[in-house]
Structures are given as structure tokens and as C-alpha cells.
Amino acid sequence: MSDMPEDPLWAEFAPLWAALRTIHPPVLLAGGYGLFLKQCWVQERRDAPIVVPLSQWRIFAPRATKDLDLLIGVEVIADEQQLELIGQTLQACGFVIHHPRWQFIKRLPGNRTVLVDLHAPEPPPDHPSVVAVPPRVKNMHATSADRVHGRYNPEAVAAHVHPCAIDRHGSSIIVPNPVTWAIMKVTAAGERWQQSQSSSRSVAERDEQRYQAIKHAADAGRVVALMGIGERTAIEPVQAVVRDTHAYAQACRLRREHFTGDGFALPALREIWTPDDAALIADQLARWLP
Amino acid sequence: MSDGPLTERSICKLLERRAELLAPVRLEQVAYHNGLVDLAGSWDQRRWPFSGVVRARSTPQQLQVALDQVRAHPRSHPLIVVPYLTDLALQHLEEARISGIDLCGNGILIIPGELLVRRGGAPNRYPESAPIRNPFAGRAAIVTRRLALQMRWDTLNELNAALERDATPVSLSMCSKVVSALVDENLVVKEQRHIRVRDRLGVLDGLARHWSRVRPRRRQSVRLGADTDPARLLAQRLGNSPWVISGASSVVMYAAIGQSGPLEVIVEDIDQAMQVSQATPEEIPSFAQAIFVTYDEPGCLCGVQPDKNGTHWSGPLQVWLELQAGDARQRAMATDLFPKIL
């Protein structure tokens, strides 16, 4: 096992995260960077068991990313003051609007960029102030110039149920519960795979979609493999919350289609883990997303 | 292959029919008298006399007897003749600078400053029916392990009784065969009724070379329902029933190392052990507190060393055997542990 790779994103992430810690319910860090930080945290806590110990991973290096995927709750979008604080914090940290009000970009020396995506789950249909207008979730009454929207992400369902706090360089980082995270990753993998099969796309586009599908499938595996024993208690309560949602049903269908038999995802798991461990991961996914 | 059991005389008769002492050295003369043999070999117009000792068996012990004999009565160039010489035996002869040949085409001829011929690898055409096939494996290993732990026994009965006390009973006849096999290997000597291990390192080396954990009959990862020390919980719940924490999991008892992961616990009956220990199955192995295993291997529950809490740890010999067959880190720990078993 090698040491953890460098983390150039931390310098951009840490001040932003510190400034957002007053947001309630808390902002969650998901996506590839969330998984990266969780893997770092797991590596530092060598005696705390996870589903597949890092010593058994064939490919230990986490994948590189330049995106920060932040999840904000519907309650945050309902609160104009909090929306304004998020917008002002992003600006103060050097991020500017890239995709109106839910994606922000920071340009760094050397042609490097960092993207922040603000994801939000589907609001209840009868919510008095928050509506989903894909691709965004927004507060229809907010007028502040600094307000932000959320990127419509129904797969983020129940993300704030039993989130997991991890420690990195003394900061408490909050990531989603493993079931919600798996719903997001399995859905992303399945949708990308479907696009990679589209004959209306160019070969290069199909290759890119296929690459992204495999990347998300591997991330779904990481969500399972990195789960600690304490997080397991979250599975049933989260399943109870998401059971009747469209996002959950769709993730279950995509899991059955791609993470079993000849599905594209199993070879992606076997790249990173031994066949036995890949089978254990697939089995756990099947329990979470039957 | 000879028709009957080989004798020293029949070995000499077979030698008389050979054209070569050890290719390319030609055999010129064979003369046998009272277990000693005079031979002559020639090559490239030179001729060398050899004075040899013939033994009808090829065991390490018989080889040692032959070596002692030729050393005790130095005549012309010393040489031993046995039915078969292993590569290891050839190596010993080379180190002793004594010539030796067998009936299978292997051998070494050493005349300092004049001749060195070595041939090995020919298969054994004269396998012996040993009292026991392998004293280091299976049920026989239980006896050999006991001998590795205690080097002197007044009688075979005393050894047999000790195995009974250890709850690893082995028949007296099996004990006798194992001791005989170890005598043949030149690792143990029998002096009247006494049994003495003469080469403890050799016994340990034999056990190590032949030790391998067989595939378990069944494995079951379990949680014990409380987050306290699982070894202590098992001691409380399994009590004096037959169980032992495997050697690899017992290493914490003998070395100052940190160990994580579930304890591997060898039991006789997994279902019964689960019931008595109030364990529940754990589908994720790394979340298990213990892994119950059962083996068909004889003696897999022997060598228990209970601590003051009643936890059944494996003894240092078992720990060493498992570690020396493990990965690089475990082999390094085995090296550190070795002095503890001596």
C-alpha cells in the first residue's frame, strides 16, 4: 500500500468548508472528492474495520477529481439567508457562477480550474417555497442577488438521514449515508452507460460516456468498500425513508441490470478488488438496492 | 530393482556388475569382506583405490553410521555405498569430503587435488518401506510435536501418557512407529528404553517443512454481541469445551505487536460453538469479531495454552509453525519467536 497521494484540492476546499459550517442542516460533501477524503480518513484509522480492508485493495490510489459535489438540503433552499450566505461564501473563496446559480468555478494558475456543484434533492410537491424546475431546485420567493440554487438531483434522497462525519486535518467533514451515496453513484453509472450505447453519439462521445460509467461504478464499489461498521446501522432507516421513491426504484433497477451477471460494472469492481471482495461488494449493493 | 530386501552383500553383487563406479570413472575392482568393501576406479589412465563401508539402508541415520565408520577406520580414500543418495545426502558427503555412491547412478567421488565427480537427481529405484510414511504430517506429527517440546523421555509409555494428558491420544503402536521413523531420520536416538531428541532443530525443520493448514471443513464469521475483548468473551462462554485460538491469531500472546481483525477460533462443532457463545453470523468478514473454523486435520485442537482468564491460546510451537508458513511479515515474526520455543 502506498501513502496517500497529494491532495491539491484541499487548499480550495478547506476555507470554503469552514465558512459553510454554520449552514443547517449541514452541507454534505459527496462525489469523488468525498470518497477521496473518506479513504484518507479510513487509512488513518487502521484499526477501524471497513467492508473491504484497504490492505486488500488491488488498486489503492483514489481517482483524481477537480470537482466538489456539495449537497444542500431543501430546508437550506427554503431559507433565503442561508442561500445568500452560501453565495457570498463562494464568491469570497474566489468562485464565480458557471452554470446559473448551481455550478461555480474557480480559475487557478496553470489553467487549472475547480468546479463546485451544489446538489439538492427533490423537494416535496407541496413545499411552500421550494420547487424543482429541472435542472434546478430553487426558492421561488428568494430575490437576493447572491442567492444560489441547487442542481436537481433526486438521487440525493435522504442524504441527511444518518450522515457520517469524518475527520480530515482537524476539520469535521460530513458525507452522505452509504445508501444515498450508492443510489447516486449507481444511477450515474447506469445513465452514463445508457448514453455510451447511443448510436446517435460519436465514437469519442460514447467512449467518454463509457469511461464515466465505469468510473461511477467503481465509485459505487468504493461507497460499499469504505463503509465502517457504525455506518451499517444507517442502512435500514435510510431504506425505510427512500423505499417508495422513484430514485430508489430506478437505482435498484440499474443495480440489477449492471451489477450482476454480464453487467458492465462487475469487471470494473474486479479491477480494484479481488474477485471475492468484488463479489462481497456486489452482494452488499444488492442488499441495499434489491 | 532387486527381488528381495537389499543386504550389504547383495549390494556388492550389484556393484560387481557395473562398468562404472560413477560415470565417467570406470569400476576396476570390487572386493567385499565383513561390511567393508575395497574398490578401484580409473579414468584418463589414472587409478584410485577406495575403501568403503556398505549399508543396506539409505536413511540419514544409516548414512551417519557409515560416515562415522569410515572416519573411525581411515584406510585409502574413504567411500560409502548405500542404495540411494538424496541431494541432501550428497551435500553432506561433499561437506564431509567423503566419497559416496548409490545403486541408482547418484554419487560423489572426492580425492582432494585430483578428482571431483558429482552426479545427482537419478530417481530412487530402491524405496524402503518405512515404519511410517511421514513422521511430520498427519497424526504422526502430534507425536513429533510433543518430542519437539520435551527432548527426553524415560519410556515410550511416558510419551504416550503425556499425549493422553494433552487430550491428543495416539496409540502406543503409532508412537513407536513415529519414534522409529525419527531414529531413521537421525533426529532421535533410542538408548535402551530411553528416547532422546538429538537434533531438535532438525525436528522443528521437518515440522515446518511439512506444515500447511489444510482447507477448513467449514468457516463462519460471527459477532459475539458485545464490543468487549472477544478472546475474554469466548473464554467466559465456551469455557473448557474443545476450542483454541489459531496460531496466527495467538501471536499477540508471544510478541509485542498490534493485531486487528477477527480472531480465528478452531472448534469441533461450529453450530454448537455458536449456540454456546451466543454468536450471530456476520456476512461481512472484516466486521466479524471471530471466525469459527473446523478442520478435519488430526490434532488441530492440541497444544492449548490457557491464560488466567481461561482463553485457549495456541502454544508457541503452533504459532511459530503458522507464522513461518505465512507472508513476509509473519515470517519475520516467526524468526523473532523462534528462541521462545527452544
Side-chain angles (χ1 to χ4, degrees), chain A residues 47 49-51 227-229 232 284 287, chain B residues 223 259-260 282-288:
Chain A
D47 291 339
I50 56 171
V51 172
M227 183 181 76
I229 192 164
R232 184 159 63 169
Q284 287 300 305
R287 289 167 191 263
Chain B
R223 287 196 67 78
Q259 198 175 40
S260 57
E282 170 54 65
E283 66 202 29
I284 299 173
S286 59
F287 288 175

Side-chain angles (χ1 to χ4, degrees), chain B residues 37-53:
Chain B
V37 63
D38 289 327
L39 303 117
S42 68
W43 180 65
D44 197 21
Q45 300 179 330
R46 301 190 67 179
R47 184 184 161 97
W48 299 277
F50 292 92
S51 298
V53 169

Side-chain angles (χ1 to χ4, degrees), chain A residues 3-138:
Chain A
D3 289 327
M4 290 303 295
E6 287 184 18
D7 179 8
L9 214 46
W10 179 258
E12 310 308 322
F13 169 75
L16 178 62
W17 187 261
L20 294 176
R21 66 171 179 262
T22 56
I23 300 293
H24 187 79
V27 176
L28 308 181
L29 175 67
Y33 193 60
L35 283 169
F36 171 85
L37 292 189
K38 188 168 185 188
Q39 188 170 327
C40 295
W41 176 67
V42 163
Q43 193 189 358
E44 285 169 2
R45 301 163 75 241
R46 286 174 189 276
D47 291 339
I50 56 171
V51 172
V52 182
L54 291 177
S55 58
Q56 293 171 211
W57 292 30
R58 281 176 166 172
I59 298 175
F60 174 72
R63 69 174 174 86
T65 181
K66 60 184 178 67
D67 302 340
L68 299 173
D69 292 296
L70 305 180
L71 294 181
I72 52 176
V74 170
E75 298 89 331
V76 172
I77 296 179
D79 181 341
E80 188 170 358
Q81 280 188 330
Q82 296 207 86
L83 290 183
E84 197 173 21
L85 174 63
I86 293 171
Q88 288 167 354
T89 300
L90 283 162
Q91 282 180 43
C93 290
F95 289 87
V96 296
I97 291 178
H98 188 55
H99 207 297
R101 300 197 187 278
W102 58 260
Q103 187 174 67
F104 299 81
I105 190 167
K106 182 174 183 179
R107 300 190 191 283
L108 301 171
N111 269 344
R112 291 188 305 125
T113 57
V114 179
L115 285 174
V116 169
D117 280 6
L118 297 175
H119 299 265
E122 177 143 31
D126 54 352
H127 198 285
S129 58
V130 181
V131 290
V133 188
R136 70 194 71 241
V137 177
K138 65 178 189 178

Side-chain angles (χ1 to χ4, degrees), chain B residues 10-25:
Chain B
S10 67
I11 288 173
C12 286
K13 291 279 180 201
L14 290 167
L15 280 180
E16 284 170 1
R17 295 183 206 159
R18 282 165 65 150
E20 289 171 327
L21 185 60
L22 185 68
V25 178

